[in-house]
């Protein structure tokens, strides 16, 4: 029976996870093999994104002729570092070479599982294929067993939009002097916010907002004793920094402001800088 050369197979796969032994055949001597190669798979029932997982595949030749097959991997979105026999799978393909009739080859694929967009299910799919183009590795006589699917439960608790507030006071805290109150808003959740609102009120001994920075693109205003701004959406992990220049009007002691941020699908968060 005539088969593809190792050069032709390697060209079809690109960089592959397996080494292919050479044969004496030539492309112009190639004739299509008819056989039935199928795949089954076992994987984790549950996992947390970022966890290392193992998928165990069994590729079986149910036909009457030996043939090579390509296993195509479709792992959960965000999955990285897939390996087979400690070799990187860089093309989402693994070659099972020259599988005899009635034989089964077991493949263990390890990978750092992705979040699949924080979905509740982390689906993976494995499909055996004769390849594409003018020189398929074989003609499949039973496509019904070509694909195996694994559905893994995502055990990560998905947090929606969540806003946090942190702040510091800098500068001279004396009558007639200007100090700065720096407030940082961060979306610590897994989802973007919608438009959200920041409100602030100054301590009676820390009145006199004279300037606010970091509110570009926001709607709202400030006055001596407080502020009220509506900000555009904030992506997960992103921050907005608002800096208030404050002129103190009474004796030292009791500086700072009280701030609230929320809305846009995010629960209310508070920060009290008053001391």
């Amino acid at each position: 029976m005539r088969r593809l050369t190792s050069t032709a197979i390697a060209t079809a796969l690109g960089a592959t996870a397996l080494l292919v032994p050479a044969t004496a055949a030539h492309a112009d001597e190639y004739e299509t093999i008819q056989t039935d190669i199928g795949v089954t798979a076992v994987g984790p029932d549950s996992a947390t994104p970022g966890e290392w997982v193992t998928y165990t595949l069994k590729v079986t030749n149910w036909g009457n002729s030996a043939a090579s097959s390509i296993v195509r991997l479709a792992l959960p979105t965000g999955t990285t570092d897939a390996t087979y026999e400690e070799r990187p799978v860089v093309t989402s393909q693994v070659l099972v070479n020259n599988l005899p009739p009635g034989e089964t080859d077991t493949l263990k694929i390890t990978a750092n599982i992705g979040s699949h967009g924080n979905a509740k299910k982390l689906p993976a799919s494995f499909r055996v294929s004769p390849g594409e183009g003018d020189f398929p590795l074989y003609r499949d006589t039973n496509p019904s067993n070509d694909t195996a699917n694994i559905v893994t439960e995502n055990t990560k608790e998905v947090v929606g939009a969540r806003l946090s507030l942190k702040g510091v006071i800098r500068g001279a805290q004396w009558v007639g002097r200007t100090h700065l109150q720096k407030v940082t808003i961060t979306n610590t959740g897994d989802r973007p916010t919608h438009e959200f609102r920041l409100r602030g009120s100054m301590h009676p001994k820390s009145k006199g907002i004279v300037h606010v920075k970091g509110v570009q693109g926001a709607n709202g205003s400030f006055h001596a004793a407080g502020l009220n701004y509506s900000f555009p959406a904030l992506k997960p992990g992103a921050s907005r920094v608002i800096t208030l220049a404050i002129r103190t009007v009474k004796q030292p002691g009791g500086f700072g402001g009280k701030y609230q941020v929320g809305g846009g699908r995010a629960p209310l968060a508070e920060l009290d800088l008053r001391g």
Side-chain angles (χ1 to χ4, degrees), residues 127-156:
R127 182 170 67 90
V128 291
S129 166
E132 300 175 355
D134 296 332
F135 300 103
L137 301 178
Y138 61 94
R139 180 176 294 118
D140 190 7
T141 60
N142 181 20
S144 66
N145 59 6
D146 289 355
T147 302
N149 297 305
I150 298 292
V151 178
T152 300
E153 296 284 340
N154 185 351
T155 57
K156 179 184 177 182

PDB file of all heavy atoms in Angstrom, residues 127-156:
ATOM      1  N   ARG A 127     -10.804  16.181  17.198  1.00  0.00           N
ATOM      2  CA  ARG A 127     -11.312  15.589  15.954  1.00  0.00           C
ATOM      3  C   ARG A 127     -10.174  14.937  15.189  1.00  0.00           C
ATOM      4  O   ARG A 127      -9.137  15.561  14.951  1.00  0.00           O
ATOM      5  CB  ARG A 127     -11.981  16.660  15.089  1.00  0.00           C
ATOM      6  CG  ARG A 127     -12.578  16.110  13.784  1.00  0.00           C
ATOM      7  CD  ARG A 127     -13.430  17.165  13.105  1.00  0.00           C
ATOM      8  NE  ARG A 127     -12.642  18.285  12.637  1.00  0.00           N
ATOM      9  CZ  ARG A 127     -12.084  18.368  11.430  1.00  0.00           C
ATOM     10  NH1 ARG A 127     -12.223  17.364  10.568  1.00  0.00           N
ATOM     11  NH2 ARG A 127     -11.393  19.430  11.076  1.00  0.00           N
ATOM     12  N   VAL A 128     -10.381  13.660  14.809  1.00  0.00           N
ATOM     13  CA  VAL A 128      -9.409  12.997  13.948  1.00  0.00           C
ATOM     14  C   VAL A 128      -9.753  13.326  12.501  1.00  0.00           C
ATOM     15  O   VAL A 128     -10.924  13.427  12.125  1.00  0.00           O
ATOM     16  CB  VAL A 128      -9.385  11.475  14.166  1.00  0.00           C
ATOM     17  CG1 VAL A 128      -8.812  11.137  15.530  1.00  0.00           C
ATOM     18  CG2 VAL A 128     -10.759  10.864  13.991  1.00  0.00           C
ATOM     19  N   SER A 129      -8.715  13.491  11.697  1.00  0.00           N
ATOM     20  CA  SER A 129      -8.926  13.940  10.325  1.00  0.00           C
ATOM     21  C   SER A 129      -7.873  13.332   9.418  1.00  0.00           C
ATOM     22  O   SER A 129      -6.721  13.141   9.826  1.00  0.00           O
ATOM     23  CB  SER A 129      -8.831  15.473  10.276  1.00  0.00           C
ATOM     24  OG  SER A 129      -8.712  15.936   8.954  1.00  0.00           O
ATOM     25  N   PRO A 130      -8.256  13.050   8.180  1.00  0.00           N
ATOM     26  CA  PRO A 130      -7.261  12.581   7.212  1.00  0.00           C
ATOM     27  C   PRO A 130      -6.460  13.714   6.591  1.00  0.00           C
ATOM     28  O   PRO A 130      -5.637  13.475   5.703  1.00  0.00           O
ATOM     29  CB  PRO A 130      -8.126  11.877   6.157  1.00  0.00           C
ATOM     30  CG  PRO A 130      -9.423  12.608   6.197  1.00  0.00           C
ATOM     31  CD  PRO A 130      -9.627  12.985   7.636  1.00  0.00           C
ATOM     32  N   GLY A 131      -6.703  14.946   7.071  1.00  0.00           N
ATOM     33  CA  GLY A 131      -6.017  16.089   6.465  1.00  0.00           C
ATOM     34  C   GLY A 131      -6.809  16.643   5.301  1.00  0.00           C
ATOM     35  O   GLY A 131      -7.872  16.151   4.936  1.00  0.00           O
ATOM     36  N   GLU A 132      -6.280  17.686   4.725  1.00  0.00           N
ATOM     37  CA  GLU A 132      -6.957  18.374   3.628  1.00  0.00           C
ATOM     38  C   GLU A 132      -6.021  18.510   2.432  1.00  0.00           C
ATOM     39  O   GLU A 132      -4.827  18.298   2.544  1.00  0.00           O
ATOM     40  CB  GLU A 132      -7.429  19.756   4.099  1.00  0.00           C
ATOM     41  CG  GLU A 132      -8.404  19.702   5.277  1.00  0.00           C
ATOM     42  CD  GLU A 132      -8.748  21.076   5.800  1.00  0.00           C
ATOM     43  OE1 GLU A 132      -8.153  22.061   5.315  1.00  0.00           O
ATOM     44  OE2 GLU A 132      -9.602  21.159   6.697  1.00  0.00           O
ATOM     45  N   GLY A 133      -6.591  18.871   1.319  1.00  0.00           N
ATOM     46  CA  GLY A 133      -5.780  19.070   0.131  1.00  0.00           C
ATOM     47  C   GLY A 133      -5.829  17.892  -0.811  1.00  0.00           C
ATOM     48  O   GLY A 133      -6.697  17.010  -0.722  1.00  0.00           O
ATOM     49  N   ASP A 134      -4.843  17.834  -1.704  1.00  0.00           N
ATOM     50  CA  ASP A 134      -4.834  16.820  -2.765  1.00  0.00           C
ATOM     51  C   ASP A 134      -4.379  15.448  -2.289  1.00  0.00           C
ATOM     52  O   ASP A 134      -4.626  14.453  -2.964  1.00  0.00           O
ATOM     53  CB  ASP A 134      -3.921  17.277  -3.912  1.00  0.00           C
ATOM     54  CG  ASP A 134      -4.430  18.532  -4.599  1.00  0.00           C
ATOM     55  OD1 ASP A 134      -5.670  18.737  -4.580  1.00  0.00           O
ATOM     56  OD2 ASP A 134      -3.605  19.302  -5.122  1.00  0.00           O
ATOM     57  N   PHE A 135      -3.714  15.385  -1.145  1.00  0.00           N
ATOM     58  CA  PHE A 135      -3.166  14.111  -0.686  1.00  0.00           C
ATOM     59  C   PHE A 135      -3.631  13.796   0.731  1.00  0.00           C
ATOM     60  O   PHE A 135      -2.870  13.875   1.686  1.00  0.00           O
ATOM     61  CB  PHE A 135      -1.630  14.129  -0.735  1.00  0.00           C
ATOM     62  CG  PHE A 135      -1.083  14.369  -2.105  1.00  0.00           C
ATOM     63  CD1 PHE A 135      -0.583  15.616  -2.463  1.00  0.00           C
ATOM     64  CD2 PHE A 135      -1.088  13.353  -3.049  1.00  0.00           C
ATOM     65  CE1 PHE A 135      -0.082  15.835  -3.722  1.00  0.00           C
ATOM     66  CE2 PHE A 135      -0.588  13.577  -4.316  1.00  0.00           C
ATOM     67  CZ  PHE A 135      -0.098  14.822  -4.668  1.00  0.00           C
ATOM     68  N   PRO A 136      -4.911  13.432   0.910  1.00  0.00           N
ATOM     69  CA  PRO A 136      -5.372  13.058   2.255  1.00  0.00           C
ATOM     70  C   PRO A 136      -4.655  11.794   2.724  1.00  0.00           C
ATOM     71  O   PRO A 136      -4.239  10.955   1.923  1.00  0.00           O
ATOM     72  CB  PRO A 136      -6.873  12.826   2.055  1.00  0.00           C
ATOM     73  CG  PRO A 136      -7.018  12.487   0.611  1.00  0.00           C
ATOM     74  CD  PRO A 136      -5.972  13.297  -0.102  1.00  0.00           C
ATOM     75  N   LEU A 137      -4.517  11.671   4.052  1.00  0.00           N
ATOM     76  CA  LEU A 137      -3.818  10.516   4.598  1.00  0.00           C
ATOM     77  C   LEU A 137      -4.612   9.230   4.410  1.00  0.00           C
ATOM     78  O   LEU A 137      -4.040   8.141   4.360  1.00  0.00           O
ATOM     79  CB  LEU A 137      -3.529  10.741   6.085  1.00  0.00           C
ATOM     80  CG  LEU A 137      -2.687  11.982   6.410  1.00  0.00           C
ATOM     81  CD1 LEU A 137      -2.518  12.129   7.910  1.00  0.00           C
ATOM     82  CD2 LEU A 137      -1.335  11.901   5.723  1.00  0.00           C
ATOM     83  N   TYR A 138      -5.949   9.328   4.349  1.00  0.00           N
ATOM     84  CA  TYR A 138      -6.802   8.168   4.104  1.00  0.00           C
ATOM     85  C   TYR A 138      -8.192   8.667   3.728  1.00  0.00           C
ATOM     86  O   TYR A 138      -8.499   9.862   3.860  1.00  0.00           O
ATOM     87  CB  TYR A 138      -6.876   7.244   5.340  1.00  0.00           C
ATOM     88  CG  TYR A 138      -7.451   7.913   6.564  1.00  0.00           C
ATOM     89  CD1 TYR A 138      -8.805   7.819   6.883  1.00  0.00           C
ATOM     90  CD2 TYR A 138      -6.639   8.647   7.425  1.00  0.00           C
ATOM     91  CE1 TYR A 138      -9.333   8.438   8.013  1.00  0.00           C
ATOM     92  CE2 TYR A 138      -7.150   9.265   8.553  1.00  0.00           C
ATOM     93  CZ  TYR A 138      -8.493   9.168   8.842  1.00  0.00           C
ATOM     94  OH  TYR A 138      -9.000   9.777   9.940  1.00  0.00           O
ATOM     95  N   ARG A 139      -9.040   7.785   3.270  1.00  0.00           N
ATOM     96  CA  ARG A 139     -10.442   8.103   3.047  1.00  0.00           C
ATOM     97  C   ARG A 139     -11.240   7.505   4.193  1.00  0.00           C
ATOM     98  O   ARG A 139     -11.219   6.292   4.411  1.00  0.00           O
ATOM     99  CB  ARG A 139     -10.930   7.557   1.709  1.00  0.00           C
ATOM    100  CG  ARG A 139     -12.418   7.874   1.448  1.00  0.00           C
ATOM    101  CD  ARG A 139     -12.898   7.421   0.086  1.00  0.00           C
ATOM    102  NE  ARG A 139     -12.249   8.177  -0.966  1.00  0.00           N
ATOM    103  CZ  ARG A 139     -11.452   7.644  -1.896  1.00  0.00           C
ATOM    104  NH1 ARG A 139     -11.216   6.343  -1.894  1.00  0.00           N
ATOM    105  NH2 ARG A 139     -10.903   8.392  -2.820  1.00  0.00           N
ATOM    106  N   ASP A 140     -11.936   8.358   4.936  1.00  0.00           N
ATOM    107  CA  ASP A 140     -12.648   7.942   6.136  1.00  0.00           C
ATOM    108  C   ASP A 140     -13.960   7.251   5.755  1.00  0.00           C
ATOM    109  O   ASP A 140     -14.794   7.823   5.063  1.00  0.00           O
ATOM    110  CB  ASP A 140     -12.929   9.163   7.014  1.00  0.00           C
ATOM    111  CG  ASP A 140     -13.456   8.796   8.380  1.00  0.00           C
ATOM    112  OD1 ASP A 140     -13.484   7.593   8.696  1.00  0.00           O
ATOM    113  OD2 ASP A 140     -13.842   9.701   9.128  1.00  0.00           O
ATOM    114  N   THR A 141     -14.138   6.033   6.220  1.00  0.00           N
ATOM    115  CA  THR A 141     -15.348   5.280   5.889  1.00  0.00           C
ATOM    116  C   THR A 141     -16.467   5.461   6.917  1.00  0.00           C
ATOM    117  O   THR A 141     -17.575   4.980   6.703  1.00  0.00           O
ATOM    118  CB  THR A 141     -15.016   3.778   5.774  1.00  0.00           C
ATOM    119  OG1 THR A 141     -14.487   3.317   7.031  1.00  0.00           O
ATOM    120  CG2 THR A 141     -13.990   3.544   4.666  1.00  0.00           C
ATOM    121  N   ASN A 142     -16.172   6.161   8.043  1.00  0.00           N
ATOM    122  CA  ASN A 142     -17.186   6.342   9.087  1.00  0.00           C
ATOM    123  C   ASN A 142     -16.937   7.660   9.828  1.00  0.00           C
ATOM    124  O   ASN A 142     -16.322   7.669  10.911  1.00  0.00           O
ATOM    125  CB  ASN A 142     -17.172   5.167  10.066  1.00  0.00           C
ATOM    126  CG  ASN A 142     -18.229   5.315  11.150  1.00  0.00           C
ATOM    127  OD1 ASN A 142     -19.202   6.055  10.993  1.00  0.00           O
ATOM    128  ND2 ASN A 142     -18.023   4.620  12.261  1.00  0.00           N
ATOM    129  N   PRO A 143     -17.404   8.779   9.316  1.00  0.00           N
ATOM    130  CA  PRO A 143     -17.163  10.080   9.966  1.00  0.00           C
ATOM    131  C   PRO A 143     -17.876  10.242  11.315  1.00  0.00           C
ATOM    132  O   PRO A 143     -17.577  11.185  12.047  1.00  0.00           O
ATOM    133  CB  PRO A 143     -17.731  11.087   8.946  1.00  0.00           C
ATOM    134  CG  PRO A 143     -17.814  10.351   7.658  1.00  0.00           C
ATOM    135  CD  PRO A 143     -18.100   8.927   8.033  1.00  0.00           C
ATOM    136  N   SER A 144     -18.797   9.352  11.673  1.00  0.00           N
ATOM    137  CA  SER A 144     -19.606   9.542  12.878  1.00  0.00           C
ATOM    138  C   SER A 144     -18.792   9.451  14.170  1.00  0.00           C
ATOM    139  O   SER A 144     -19.233   9.924  15.218  1.00  0.00           O
ATOM    140  CB  SER A 144     -20.747   8.528  12.918  1.00  0.00           C
ATOM    141  OG  SER A 144     -20.236   7.212  13.053  1.00  0.00           O
ATOM    142  N   ASN A 145     -17.618   8.832  14.142  1.00  0.00           N
ATOM    143  CA  ASN A 145     -16.809   8.697  15.367  1.00  0.00           C
ATOM    144  C   ASN A 145     -15.547   9.567  15.331  1.00  0.00           C
ATOM    145  O   ASN A 145     -14.573   9.291  16.034  1.00  0.00           O
ATOM    146  CB  ASN A 145     -16.434   7.232  15.618  1.00  0.00           C
ATOM    147  CG  ASN A 145     -15.643   6.653  14.450  1.00  0.00           C
ATOM    148  OD1 ASN A 145     -15.284   7.352  13.504  1.00  0.00           O
ATOM    149  ND2 ASN A 145     -15.387   5.348  14.519  1.00  0.00           N
ATOM    150  N   ASP A 146     -15.570  10.606  14.509  1.00  0.00           N
ATOM    151  CA  ASP A 146     -14.367  11.427  14.312  1.00  0.00           C
ATOM    152  C   ASP A 146     -14.156  12.481  15.393  1.00  0.00           C
ATOM    153  O   ASP A 146     -13.071  13.055  15.487  1.00  0.00           O
ATOM    154  CB  ASP A 146     -14.425  12.142  12.949  1.00  0.00           C
ATOM    155  CG  ASP A 146     -14.228  11.178  11.793  1.00  0.00           C
ATOM    156  OD1 ASP A 146     -13.961   9.992  12.054  1.00  0.00           O
ATOM    157  OD2 ASP A 146     -14.343  11.629  10.634  1.00  0.00           O
ATOM    158  N   THR A 147     -15.178  12.784  16.188  1.00  0.00           N
ATOM    159  CA  THR A 147     -15.081  13.895  17.132  1.00  0.00           C
ATOM    160  C   THR A 147     -15.433  13.447  18.545  1.00  0.00           C
ATOM    161  O   THR A 147     -16.393  12.695  18.754  1.00  0.00           O
ATOM    162  CB  THR A 147     -16.022  15.048  16.721  1.00  0.00           C
ATOM    163  OG1 THR A 147     -15.685  15.476  15.398  1.00  0.00           O
ATOM    164  CG2 THR A 147     -15.880  16.245  17.663  1.00  0.00           C
ATOM    165  N   ALA A 148     -14.658  13.915  19.510  1.00  0.00           N
ATOM    166  CA  ALA A 148     -14.935  13.692  20.933  1.00  0.00           C
ATOM    167  C   ALA A 148     -14.983  15.043  21.630  1.00  0.00           C
ATOM    168  O   ALA A 148     -14.127  15.903  21.391  1.00  0.00           O
ATOM    169  CB  ALA A 148     -13.855  12.817  21.559  1.00  0.00           C
ATOM    170  N   ASN A 149     -15.983  15.245  22.476  1.00  0.00           N
ATOM    171  CA  ASN A 149     -16.169  16.521  23.157  1.00  0.00           C
ATOM    172  C   ASN A 149     -16.059  16.342  24.669  1.00  0.00           C
ATOM    173  O   ASN A 149     -16.541  15.352  25.220  1.00  0.00           O
ATOM    174  CB  ASN A 149     -17.540  17.121  22.816  1.00  0.00           C
ATOM    175  CG  ASN A 149     -17.666  17.443  21.342  1.00  0.00           C
ATOM    176  OD1 ASN A 149     -16.856  18.161  20.778  1.00  0.00           O
ATOM    177  ND2 ASN A 149     -18.684  16.890  20.706  1.00  0.00           N
ATOM    178  N   ILE A 150     -15.447  17.310  25.323  1.00  0.00           N
ATOM    179  CA  ILE A 150     -15.334  17.345  26.782  1.00  0.00           C
ATOM    180  C   ILE A 150     -15.908  18.672  27.257  1.00  0.00           C
ATOM    181  O   ILE A 150     -15.546  19.737  26.740  1.00  0.00           O
ATOM    182  CB  ILE A 150     -13.866  17.237  27.245  1.00  0.00           C
ATOM    183  CG1 ILE A 150     -13.254  15.913  26.799  1.00  0.00           C
ATOM    184  CG2 ILE A 150     -13.761  17.398  28.762  1.00  0.00           C
ATOM    185  CD1 ILE A 150     -13.837  14.706  27.482  1.00  0.00           C
ATOM    186  N   VAL A 151     -16.800  18.624  28.241  1.00  0.00           N
ATOM    187  CA  VAL A 151     -17.337  19.844  28.837  1.00  0.00           C
ATOM    188  C   VAL A 151     -16.928  19.881  30.306  1.00  0.00           C
ATOM    189  O   VAL A 151     -17.336  19.023  31.087  1.00  0.00           O
ATOM    190  CB  VAL A 151     -18.870  19.927  28.705  1.00  0.00           C
ATOM    191  CG1 VAL A 151     -19.389  21.189  29.384  1.00  0.00           C
ATOM    192  CG2 VAL A 151     -19.279  19.918  27.235  1.00  0.00           C
ATOM    193  N   THR A 152     -16.107  20.854  30.655  1.00  0.00           N
ATOM    194  CA  THR A 152     -15.583  21.007  32.013  1.00  0.00           C
ATOM    195  C   THR A 152     -16.295  22.157  32.709  1.00  0.00           C
ATOM    196  O   THR A 152     -16.444  23.239  32.126  1.00  0.00           O
ATOM    197  CB  THR A 152     -14.060  21.264  31.969  1.00  0.00           C
ATOM    198  OG1 THR A 152     -13.417  20.156  31.334  1.00  0.00           O
ATOM    199  CG2 THR A 152     -13.487  21.448  33.362  1.00  0.00           C
ATOM    200  N   GLU A 153     -16.722  21.946  33.958  1.00  0.00           N
ATOM    201  CA  GLU A 153     -17.364  22.998  34.734  1.00  0.00           C
ATOM    202  C   GLU A 153     -16.312  24.026  35.154  1.00  0.00           C
ATOM    203  O   GLU A 153     -15.231  23.667  35.619  1.00  0.00           O
ATOM    204  CB  GLU A 153     -18.034  22.420  35.981  1.00  0.00           C
ATOM    205  CG  GLU A 153     -19.179  21.468  35.698  1.00  0.00           C
ATOM    206  CD  GLU A 153     -20.443  22.209  35.273  1.00  0.00           C
ATOM    207  OE1 GLU A 153     -20.535  23.412  35.555  1.00  0.00           O
ATOM    208  OE2 GLU A 153     -21.316  21.573  34.658  1.00  0.00           O
ATOM    209  N   ASN A 154     -16.643  25.304  34.998  1.00  0.00           N
ATOM    210  CA  ASN A 154     -15.772  26.388  35.438  1.00  0.00           C
ATOM    211  C   ASN A 154     -16.056  26.647  36.921  1.00  0.00           C
ATOM    212  O   ASN A 154     -17.131  27.110  37.284  1.00  0.00           O
ATOM    213  CB  ASN A 154     -16.031  27.642  34.613  1.00  0.00           C
ATOM    214  CG  ASN A 154     -15.070  28.768  34.951  1.00  0.00           C
ATOM    215  OD1 ASN A 154     -14.310  28.701  35.910  1.00  0.00           O
ATOM    216  ND2 ASN A 154     -15.084  29.813  34.136  1.00  0.00           N
ATOM    217  N   THR A 155     -15.079  26.350  37.783  1.00  0.00           N
ATOM    218  CA  THR A 155     -15.298  26.489  39.225  1.00  0.00           C
ATOM    219  C   THR A 155     -14.936  27.878  39.743  1.00  0.00           C
ATOM    220  O   THR A 155     -15.092  28.145  40.937  1.00  0.00           O
ATOM    221  CB  THR A 155     -14.472  25.443  39.994  1.00  0.00           C
ATOM    222  OG1 THR A 155     -13.081  25.597  39.656  1.00  0.00           O
ATOM    223  CG2 THR A 155     -14.933  24.040  39.646  1.00  0.00           C
ATOM    224  N   LYS A 156     -14.456  28.737  38.867  1.00  0.00           N
ATOM    225  CA  LYS A 156     -14.129  30.086  39.313  1.00  0.00           C
ATOM    226  C   LYS A 156     -15.413  30.879  39.575  1.00  0.00           C
ATOM    227  O   LYS A 156     -16.339  30.862  38.762  1.00  0.00           O
ATOM    228  CB  LYS A 156     -13.299  30.824  38.266  1.00  0.00           C
ATOM    229  CG  LYS A 156     -12.950  32.252  38.675  1.00  0.00           C
ATOM    230  CD  LYS A 156     -12.216  32.982  37.575  1.00  0.00           C
ATOM    231  CE  LYS A 156     -11.948  34.429  37.972  1.00  0.00           C
ATOM    232  NZ  LYS A 156     -11.274  35.189  36.887  1.00  0.00           N
TER     233      LYS A 156
END
